[in-house]
Amino acid sequence: MTDGNGKAVLLVEDNPANLELATDLLEMAGWRVVPAPTAEAALDLAARAPFDLILMDVRLPGIDGLEAARRLKQNPRTAGIPVAALTAQAMPGDREAALAAGCVGDIAKPIDTRRFAQTVAAVLGPEGK
Ligand code: MN
């Protein structure tokens, strides 16, 4: 499993257990993971360092994930980074809301340990960008 191939992912997740699990799974798949517990922290980090992907929990304290995605897309420094939403449960309309906020796709939680890294790679498309 080398889906990540050393690429940098900014992982925005306020739930410590989910953050740890997702970090482990992504690191095992070859990603370099930078954690952020809030959207505010993520916006700051994304503006200061290059990332290949941002995984954005939708439900966050303070600024929510979709608003953070909108702000990332409005900022020329971060607009080019693909953002994938992490949705707590697949509700009708979640995917549409994520796409409308500028996300490339959504990944449903709870995290499926056997498929998570593969699913993350898949949202970036076949050429891995
Ligand atoms: Mn959350």
Side-chain angles (χ1 to χ4, degrees), residues 14-69:
D14 64 313
N15 179 294
N18 280 340
L19 183 65
E20 186 178 353
L21 176 58
T23 298
D24 287 349
L25 294 168
L26 290 166
E27 286 182 346
M28 280 192 286
W31 291 88
R32 191 166 61 79
V33 180
V34 175
T38 65
E40 288 84 345
L43 290 166
D44 186 48
L45 286 162
R48 289 192 289 118
F51 287 97
D52 298 291
L53 174 67
I54 298 173
L55 287 178
M56 181 72 77
D57 182 24
V58 169
R59 292 185 142 211
L60 293 165
I63 301 170
D64 70 54
L66 294 184
E67 175 59 22

Side-chain angles (χ1 to χ4, degrees), residues 51-55 73 78-84 102 104 123-124 129:
F51 287 97
D52 298 291
L53 174 67
I54 298 173
L55 287 178
K73 292 297 142 183
T78 56
I81 309 170
V83 181
V104 292
V123 299
L124 286 182
K129 173 70 189 96

